[in-house]
Amino acid sequence: MSDRDSAPVEATTLDGNAMAGDLRELFAVDVTVAQYKCAGCGHADAVATLMLWGAAGGRVARCPHCSDVVLRVVRAPDRVFLDLQGCVRLEVPLTDD
Amino acid sequence: MAGTAVSGRLTWRAATLAEARWETPSARTLVLDVPDWPGHLPGQHVDVRLTAEDGYRAQRSYSIASAWPSSGDGKVELTIQRLDDGEVSPYLTDDVQVGDQIELRGPVGGWFVWRSKSTSPVTLLAGGSGVVPLMAMIRARADAGTKQPFRLIYSVRTPEDALYADELRRRVRDDAGLDVHFVYTRKTPDGWPAPPKRLDVAAVNTYGWPPDFAPDCYVCGPTTFVETAADILVALGHEPRRIRTERFGGTS
Ligand SMILES: Cc1cc2nc3c(=O)[nH]c(=O)nc-3n(C[C@H](O)[C@H](O)[C@H](O)COP(=O)(O)OP(=O)(O)OC[C@H]3O[C@@H](n4cnc5c(N)ncnc54)[C@H](O)[C@@H]3O)c2cc1C
Ligand SMILES: [Zn+2]
């Protein structure tokens, strides 16, 4: 392994599923099943369907419909910044049987 | 299950490699012993974290290949495809030894999952290692003894790259209502009726469930594969809400 920061290639796109672990470290529920509503275009769908860029240290999740940034997760050594500016609403189901 | 059985925040824990087996010359299944594992749903994944001696860390996601039986007496199995120029996968396929520990976090991801109480027919579209979470669904269906018909279309480069080939052959024979069709993109088996080609509309139309049956569709693999396959499903008239996708990154 090299000593650069862990960054599995910017050009490669993942999706919201890959954020499940980082979000589950912050929240007691699984946020990837929550419905987001995009501030840009009003599109609503599961957080798992967002298009994801970046590595675990800093992720940007964009709306698959209009490609606006819906949420951002940035990790510092002692805290995590969650930026929800592109999201009008997050609807979190409380039962996931 | 994953959201309720595990309470509070999720953190990293040590897993011990109990057993390993090669699925192909470049893919290995790791059977992990994880104390107090809460169980998982088919389609969920774990995050694996490696820490070098100098403190440098790399983290990747890996789907859980095994089903978790209702008896609770299951195993956590991952299948890793080696990418020769990869940072993490060659360590997991070639270096980690039985008895070694790795750090993992999970199970996570409650969206790309199949639930055995769902009654819809299921179309599974897999590209390369994208078959791993779909295999967990096939295994869970057999464990649950349910009858929803499953059709798997599995795109591989060559016959030698197919994961779980023997098990799939056996299950097609033994698991009533399971069909499997292979798509070979670079080399076909001898006597295969068509030249190598990528997944196309004709294959999905012929070997998947028609939209009239309102199947749940699960698509997983390299990002380019997932996008192509999901576009084909939409073009064939499948309801976008019934199409669940999971991108592994990379190109097919
Ligand atoms: C939710 C989720 C589940 C996953 N489950 C599995 C699994 O069950 N089994 C498995 O083997 N992998 C799985 N992956 C992919 C895995 O997380 C890693 O991306 C993969 O092992 C490559 O990591 P690496 O460090 O070896 O390669 P890297 O050092 O990250 O990349 C090396 C090179 O390979 C390319 N590349 C990266 N990822 C892929 C890819 N998936 N396919 C083709 N080329 C790629 C990169 O562009 C780069 O050029 C999953 C990914 C996600 C997001
Ligand atoms: Zn949008």
Side-chain angles (χ1 to χ4, degrees):
Chain A
M1 282 192 246
S2 63
D3 56 14
R4 72 193 150 79
D5 200 21
S6 175
V9 208
E10 284 298 330
T12 298
T13 323
L14 297 174
D15 56 39
N17 295 298
M19 272 195 301
D22 287 344
L23 293 171
R24 196 59 186 73
E25 219 178 316
L26 301 175
F27 298 101
V29 294
D30 176 16
V31 177
T32 63
V33 302
Q35 295 276 315
Y36 71 89
K37 185 168 184 221
C38 173
C41 74
H43 185 74
D45 207 342
V47 168
T49 65
L50 292 169
M51 310 302 297
L52 197 67
W53 276 267
R59 298 209 196 257
V60 176
R62 292 175 180 274
C63 173
H65 206 245
C66 73
S67 81
D68 274 8
V69 175
V70 174
L71 57 92
R72 261 196 198 100
V73 186
V74 177
R75 181 172 289 266
D78 62 340
R79 65 196 63 211
V80 175
F81 297 91
L82 185 64
D83 177 344
L84 285 163
Q85 216 171 27
C87 187
V88 202
R89 184 176 72 219
L90 203 57
E91 179 185 325
V92 185
L94 293 177
T95 50
D96 70 359
D97 47 338
Chain B
M1 185 197 287
T4 48
V6 192
S7 62
R9 293 170 62 227
L10 186 67
T11 49
W12 297 94
R13 49 170 130 197
T16 308
L17 183 61
E19 204 186 306
R21 57 175 184 269
W22 289 97
E23 302 286 354
T24 71
S26 61
R28 193 164 75 140
T29 291
L30 308 182
V31 183
L32 298 168
D33 186 10
V34 198
D36 303 318
W37 186 251
H40 56 265
L41 294 169
Q44 287 196 293
H45 65 271
V46 298
D47 294 333
V48 170
R49 179 164 85 175
L50 304 179
T51 307
E53 274 166 30
D54 63 2
Y56 168 77
R57 278 178 170 157
Q59 175 188 321
R60 298 289 184 274
S61 300
Y62 292 100
S63 300
I64 305 169
S66 50
W68 187 260
S70 48
S71 65
D73 184 23
K75 287 176 176 163
V76 179
E77 298 189 4
L78 311 179
T79 303
I80 321 290
Q81 174 66 52
R82 177 175 59 224
L83 298 178
D84 289 330
D85 59 344
E87 191 179 0
V88 171
S89 59
Y91 175 80
L92 296 174
T93 50
D94 295 24
D95 295 346
V96 66
Q97 307 270 330
V98 170
D100 287 353
Q101 289 199 323
I102 56 174
E103 267 188 301
L104 65 79
R105 184 176 68 183
V108 292
W111 186 76
F112 193 77
V113 300
W114 175 76
R115 292 167 201 272
S116 57
K117 67 175 199 297
S118 156
T119 53
S120 307
V122 174
T123 297
L124 306 171
L125 302 182
S129 56
V131 76
V132 175
L134 308 185
M135 193 65 189
M137 297 177 192
I138 290 172
R139 289 168 167 166
R141 172 185 181 272
D143 280 2
T146 56
K147 304 257 176 325
Q148 309 87 330
F150 269 38
R151 287 184 170 177
L152 167 67
I153 305 177
Y154 182 10
S155 169
V156 290
R157 287 178 180 166
T158 76
E160 293 75 40
D161 291 310
L163 301 176
Y164 320 122
D166 292 341
E167 183 180 338
L168 284 171
R169 211 167 294 127
R170 176 175 63 70
R171 287 190 181 278
V172 166
R173 197 187 61 212
D174 300 345
D175 296 8
L178 170 68
D179 289 312
V180 178
H181 176 73
F182 282 94
V183 170
Y184 300 99
T185 62
R186 296 212 183 146
K187 195 187 99 193
T188 67
D190 292 339
W192 192 252
K197 60 171 178 234
R198 291 183 174 261
L199 183 76
D200 57 14
V201 174
V204 179
N205 194 29
T206 309
Y207 299 103
W209 295 108
D212 293 355
F213 289 36
D216 287 329
C217 303
Y218 293 86
V219 183
C220 188
T223 297
T224 50
F225 172 87
V226 169
E227 283 170 6
T228 308
D231 286 350
I232 291 173
L233 288 168
V234 172
L236 285 171
H238 289 270
E239 169 70 53
R241 298 271 159 182
R242 290 196 171 267
I243 305 171
R244 294 193 177 218
T245 49
E246 184 166 81
R247 293 164 179 79
F248 276 12
T251 51
S252 51

